[in-house]
Amino acid sequence: MSFPSSLLTYVFFFDLVNKDFCEVDRIFCFQTFYNVIINELTSTAETRHGINPSTEEALPPVPLSTQEDVDKAVAAAQAAYPAWRDLTYDERAKYILRYADAIEANLAGIQDILMKEAGKPVQNATQELGFALMHLRQTAGLRLPEDVVEDSEERTATVRYVPIGVGVGIVPWNYPALLGLGKLDAAVLTGNTYIWKPSPYAPYTALKLGELAAKIFPPGVVQVLSGDESLGPLFTAHPSIGKISFTGSSATGKKVMAACAKTLKRVTLELGGNDASIVCDDVDVKQVVQKIGPFSFLHAGQICMEIKRLYVHEKIYDEFLAAMVEVVKTFKVGGAGDAEAFLGPVQNSMQYEKVQDMFSEISKQNWKVALGGDVCSTGKEKGYFFPPTIIDNPPENSRIVVEEPFGPIMPVLKWKDEEDVIRRANNTDMGLGASVWSSDVERAKKIATRLEAGSVWVNSHFELSPSVPFGGHKWSGIGMDWGIVGMKGWCNTQSMWVRKKF
Ligand code: NAD
């Protein structure tokens, strides 16, 4: 199966693994994992470990951070902040670029742990790290200009964007590298210090990336702490933290916001999605399914911004569904070690149970299955695998339409009337992404502008750039990461008034 061109653009970074980077720092051991506090690798009295979702084998121990570790890291971040803030943008950008080079020099080892902990087949891990490197490099080139609102003989009024102080990135398990680095670069470029809290399900890549950061950034500027589910609340409650940038589920996002309210922390929330995709009757079915297939099942459906409700015009519905099944059934299911695999496992046992529960609805609700459906059909004895599954036109109020499954199971639904399909697409608390497919681009744009989502695409889905903001409406989030908008999220706005004469 081939990837859409928008995804292939990231893949070339993988070739750079073989470049000679003798001048940059290297990590030699990918078997031991430490917290990174004040640029020191520290252990904790108790440890925990993750599970390789492809094999269900235990991964190495990782720290189980306590309040004491959090306090130490926050104090170090506070101490490092003034000097870091006072550097110029260009000076801070140099650190980020050097960090990107160091990651690239260690890419093979980092990719290996990412594949193991996240259950990513090689092409998927390559894309994530390639995009993360591009993110660091592009973001390092962005600047937040001051806006001069008034400049008269008497005075000037300028709007400036100043860093907040100590920021924390709380990250989920589906993109453990990209989502942490995509917060780190904007945070430190704008002059904040940054603490990275990875998911307990996928802390390994983040801890190694922290170890590399310790070789490059001044002490206290970038730190990484792993722990269990009690660690996040220690950060949201901490009075000396100014900003929490959170990516995860809407349910946890609401808790984060409530906790941050107590100390009036700034928050950015990147939350769940239930993206609708509307296919009009004038599309070239064969071409479009080649794109919609991967956009629906990439990373086994565990992407926030993935097609999760596919509305196909009734005139082409049967032809489309048949073509979609033909494409999706070529997607090989396999573990991190399977070079041919397109779909890896679901990342953890908690998510496996949630997705299994959704699969169990098939027989309970008598949903018509166009492809897959039988959990045992992957033939795997170990690992959290599911077959890619397409449900044929289930009722609009069924769980598979209303909920975000976050696994490789999706509904295809029929539509007839344009107003009605727009209403159905918007009839959700979620508002992350949405797309429209049509040969008539102007018609598709008109529909797209009426969709309630943070990103809307015409003849695409899940198209991203480090310079373009990314975030959700409604329960899919507050604020946005990435690009200039994302950088402003790491700043307080400051109005500066200057009287030219007394
Ligand atoms: P989750 O909400 O369970 O956990 C996310 C992070 O929050 C983890 O690091 C977790 O340890 C931490 N956490 C848990 N409880 C906390 C609390 N009370 N206070 C502070 N931190 C806490 O999400 P998940 O299961 O890891 O990820 C899957 C979800 O993330 C899906 O809903 C998916 O759509 C969403 N997601 C959104 C985006 C986006 O950019 N919008 C990107 C990826 C994933």
Side-chain angles (χ1 to χ4, degrees), residues 170-174 179 197-201 228-229 231-233 236 246-250 252-253 255-256 270-273 303-304 308 350-351 354 404 406 432 470-471 476:
I170 300 182
V171 175
W173 42 259
N174 62 338
L179 295 175
K197 193 212 88 63
S199 165
Y201 293 108
D228 61 14
E229 289 297 7
L231 182 57
T236 53
F246 171 84
T247 302
S249 62
S250 300
T252 311
K255 288 187 201 160
V256 166
E270 299 284 355
L271 309 178
I303 304 181
C304 51
K308 292 180 184 145
M350 175 270 302
Q351 191 61 26
K354 281 191 190 170
E404 176 190 41
F406 226 55
L432 196 58
F470 163 79
S476 290

Side-chain angles (χ1 to χ4, degrees), residues 139-174:
T139 303
L142 298 178
R143 297 291 178 268
L144 273 186
E146 298 185 349
D147 302 327
V148 180
V149 182
E150 187 181 320
D151 188 5
S152 63
E153 264 185 39
E154 292 83 36
R155 65 181 193 182
T156 56
T158 309
V159 178
R160 311 177 63 234
Y161 301 95
V162 298
I164 295 167
V166 179
V168 175
I170 300 182
V171 175
W173 42 259
N174 62 338

